[in-house]
């Protein structure tokens, strides 16, 4: 077959096992910073790539081949499973996901359908199966977390402050819980389907959860996340929970039945460990440093790696996604550096 | 004159003196949530209000009269002092400040002029003098902090991630420092002028500083803030430093020569005190709770007040600005509750 031997370093790190070097992948590692991706986007819209297994697998593989990262992540959007449940969503370049029918009332919550991934998103399963034949690194599946999904659904698009979302949560706690329950089921069903199709780990993106105070998280969000990670635990694949600006929630996350916590750059690994976090950790380079000179980036990466390597269960990543202005050669060099510096 | 006796509760709390009750004011307490403000905005653009002392004083007084808060804050924008130094800025409704000539190179930094507030912004001094005759509560002056100002200057408008700003900071540390020096001088000169005109306290808004990691803050920002607060100390009026999502920076802020730290809702007062913060604190209600039913809002306010009253030096406020969807009667009730609940 001529295929490379399977590289399971990333999965081992998720399980806090000994690894030959620190594994690395990057959130949004397939994207507009790549000339090849921009070329493909001239032919296909975002959702056209998503719906076409051959193209979607190609885009997913691109950063693995180009950067040498230790994991692939399915190319999709957190909005992908919302289309079939009745959400009118479009990814608008330069703006993000825009919702044509935002949630304003309880009736809007009730209108959301359940998901049947095999029927609604067969292309996702096909893409994953194709990728499993093609890849020699683990494939990460993913979904958005209910709070972050609901923030788009309620605000109607990206927001800076989530007042409407939190206002709905405070004012209509029962309806909020109904929405959380519905989105939790979507997340569980969608991720279980990805895992059944071949995803070897899953990450739940709660990108905007950092806007919620700890007491509100405990009351309005934690039970839903508990339910999701408990359901996923039955699959046996490692689970990762990501949030940005969410250091204040780490003590609560530590009690969730999730394997890996993905942290941003506002708290360092040592400080997270000092909070009593024993789970595997992922992160925590500020993506803005990708615009810095190499010497600076190397210094930052080294400081993170020195902390990360101090105990098993560490995966190098950014604290948030790669962005269009980043450049490929910087990420290539960074990936090589991480491997070289941590090789035992 | 029939004027009310001067209410100095807010100033006493800034100085950590005993107060008869917990003082309260709200960031962006004059704004689009007020029908009267919306009416005025039909006649005048943002900067037309700002440039017209009679109208600007009226808008500044509106929330004091309407809500019964214990301080007024000059109606202006953090962009106000940037126009005279050569920045082409417009406040675009629904978007925020948009910059026609963003900073891209060192030449752009060098092009920024120094400010001569008396010549460039005489209407600010006139408004302050007028307000001092009209108000029976302290008048807070304000300015944007260099990092937050530079984020608009470099990104060209509001941003969610500040990659360009931080990229510039990492890649061109000398030019970054030149920009910080220039903006620090603007901030110092502008605030000193406000104080000379009659402002009785000043708040420095570093709204987006929470996007910076602690190590970068220490290296690239702290010396500038040290310089600003050291210069302001000479005036003798209380100084307040505000940032959002910035709990990770509190241990550094604690060493700045500033009197009051304004915190958002991601860290509570008890937790801030546990970090060793002895300065006066301001905050920390999540503004989204203004959309909650009164009973919920009251419970939140009570929990905050119980922590705030535990030692002298506490000012009730939101963790960020009032927003257009908030309503006047909820803020009136909240203000009354804070006064009643904390009265000794």
């Amino acid at each position: 077959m001529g295929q490379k031997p399977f590289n399971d370093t990333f999965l081992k790190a998720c399980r806090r096992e000994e690894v030959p070097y620190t594994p690395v992948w990057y959130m949004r590692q397939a994207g507009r910073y790549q000339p090849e991706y921009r070329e493909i986007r001239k032919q296909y819209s975002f959702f056209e790539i998503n719906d076409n297994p051959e193209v979607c697998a190609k885009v997913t593989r691109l950063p693995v081949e180009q950067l040498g990262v230790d994991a692939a992540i399915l190319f999709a959007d957190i909005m992908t499973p919302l289309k079939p449940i009745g959400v009118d969503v479009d990814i608008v370049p330069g703006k993000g996901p825009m919702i044509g029918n935002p949630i304003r009332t309880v009736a809007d919550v009730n209108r959301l359908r359940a998901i049947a991934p095999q029927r609604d998103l067969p292309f996702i399963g096909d893409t994953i199966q194709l990728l499993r034949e093609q890849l020699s690194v683990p494939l990460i599946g993913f979904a958005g977390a209910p709070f972050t999904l609901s923030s788009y659904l309620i605000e109607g698009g990206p927001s800076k402050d989530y007042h409407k979302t939190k206002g709905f949560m405070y004012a209509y706690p029962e309806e909020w819980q109904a929405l959380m329950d519905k989105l939790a089921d979507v997340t569980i069903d969608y991720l279980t389907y990805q895992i059944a199709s071949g995803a070897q780990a899953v990450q739940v993106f709660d990108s905007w959860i950092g806007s919620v105070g700890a007491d509100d998280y405990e009351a309005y969000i934690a039970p839903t996340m508990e339910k999701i990670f408990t359901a996923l635990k039955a699959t046996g694949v490692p689970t990762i929970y990501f949030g940005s600006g969410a250091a204040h929630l780490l003590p609560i996350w530590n009690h969730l039945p999730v394997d890996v916590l993905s942290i941003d750059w506002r708290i360092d690994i040592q400080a997270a460990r000092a909070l009593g976090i024993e789970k595997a950790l992922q992160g925590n380079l500020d993506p803005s440093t990708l615009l810095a000179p190499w010497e600076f980036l190397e210094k930052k990466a080294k400081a993170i790696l020195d902390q990360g390597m101090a105990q098993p269960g560490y995966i190098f990543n950014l604290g948030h996604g790669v962005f269009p202005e980043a450049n490929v050669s910087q990420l290539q060099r960074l990936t090589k550096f991480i491997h070289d510096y941590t090789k035992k």
Side-chain angles (χ1 to χ4, degrees), chain A:
Chain A
M1 300 282 286
Q3 231 187 350
K4 285 192 219 169
F6 185 71
N7 168 0
D8 65 350
T9 315
F10 163 77
L11 295 174
K12 281 187 166 149
C14 288
R15 299 196 187 97
R16 293 191 291 161
E17 293 166 14
E18 284 295 332
V19 285
Y21 59 86
T22 297
V24 49
W25 69 279
Y26 305 107
M27 288 186 267
R28 218 182 296 139
Q29 63 189 11
R32 282 205 287 143
Y33 77 99
Q34 295 167 301
E36 299 83 354
Y37 176 82
R38 292 197 298 269
E39 212 42 55
I40 292 168
R41 280 290 263 114
K42 282 183 190 164
Q43 278 187 66
Y44 304 99
S45 75
F46 186 91
F47 285 121
E48 279 166 1
I49 297 177
N50 213 193
D51 295 359
N52 183 331
E54 293 287 343
V55 183
C56 191
K58 185 180 167 182
V59 170
T60 301
R61 285 194 326 269
L62 197 56
V64 180
E65 292 157 4
Q66 196 166 53
L67 307 179
V69 289
D70 300 288
I73 182 160
L74 176 70
F75 183 82
D77 192 85
I78 60 168
M79 293 293 136
T80 299
L82 297 191
K83 290 182 91 176
I85 70 167
V87 177
D88 170 22
V89 55
D90 194 20
I91 311 279
V92 180
K95 277 185 129 177
M98 298 301 295
I99 310 294
N101 53 351
I103 287 179
R104 298 269 179 262
T105 66
V106 177
D108 296 327
V109 176
N110 294 334
R111 208 172 295 137
L112 296 176
R113 293 186 293 270
I115 196 167
Q118 188 90 52
R119 178 198 69 203
D120 296 334
L121 303 162
F123 49 86
I124 292 290
D126 293 346
T127 302
I128 290 174
Q129 284 171 32
L130 199 57
L131 279 164
R132 281 298 303 273
E133 291 165 22
Q134 298 169 334
L135 287 169
S136 54
V137 295
L139 176 65
I140 306 170
F142 79 93
F147 175 83
T148 293
L149 293 176
S150 74
S151 80
Y152 290 98
L153 291 179
I154 296 173
E155 307 282 341
S159 168
K160 225 176 159 155
D161 41 37
Y162 313 100
H163 291 317
K164 285 180 198 155
T165 308
K166 291 193 273 176
F168 188 90
M169 176 172 100
Y170 297 136
Y172 309 107
E174 282 178 37
E175 292 76 3
W176 172 261
Q177 194 51 52
L179 178 59
M180 289 296 100
D181 288 344
K182 228 159 205 183
L183 294 174
D185 288 343
V186 169
T187 301
I188 292 167
D189 293 346
Y190 180 47
L191 288 177
T192 305
Y193 168 65
Q194 290 183 40
I195 293 164
S197 303
Q200 290 147 295
V202 289
Q203 176 156 323
V204 180
F205 283 82
D206 213 352
S207 310
W208 314 130
I209 195 63
S211 63
V212 175
D215 52 345
D216 291 337
Y217 185 89
E218 196 83 83
Y220 296 101
I221 321 281
T224 301
M225 298 314 299
E226 176 87 26
K227 177 180 166 182
I228 291 173
F229 288 118
T230 301
L232 294 175
K233 216 169 179 59
T235 68
V237 312
T239 54
I240 312 172
Y241 188 28
F242 164 75
S244 123
H248 59 295
L249 304 177
L250 282 177
I252 307 176
W253 289 8
N254 200 28
H255 298 292
L256 293 174
V258 61
D259 298 301
V260 185
L261 299 180
S262 193
I263 59 177
D264 76 5
W265 58 95
R266 291 175 181 92
I267 181 167
D268 63 29
I269 293 159
Q270 221 160 23
R273 293 284 179 219
L275 290 174
I277 310 294
E278 286 297 325
K279 295 180 189 296
L281 289 173
Q282 176 177 276
N284 69 340
L285 182 71
D286 186 338
S288 300
T289 60
L290 296 175
L291 299 177
W294 169 252
E295 292 65 31
F296 182 93
L297 182 55
E298 187 188 71
K299 209 180 80 187
K300 286 271 182 188
K302 207 179 274 188
I304 291 170
L305 289 167
D306 287 341
Q307 295 190 18
M309 288 190 294
Q311 69 185 74
Y314 171 66
I315 300 146
F316 193 95
N317 206 320
L318 305 174
H320 213 141
V322 184
F323 52 97
E325 293 82 4
N327 79 77
V328 174
S329 64
Q330 190 86 322
L331 279 165
Q332 280 170 329
R333 195 166 176 183
L334 178 61
T335 311
K336 188 175 179 315
F337 172 75
I338 292 157
H339 288 158
D340 291 347
Y341 185 70
T342 62
K343 198 152 277 168
K344 278 159 197 165

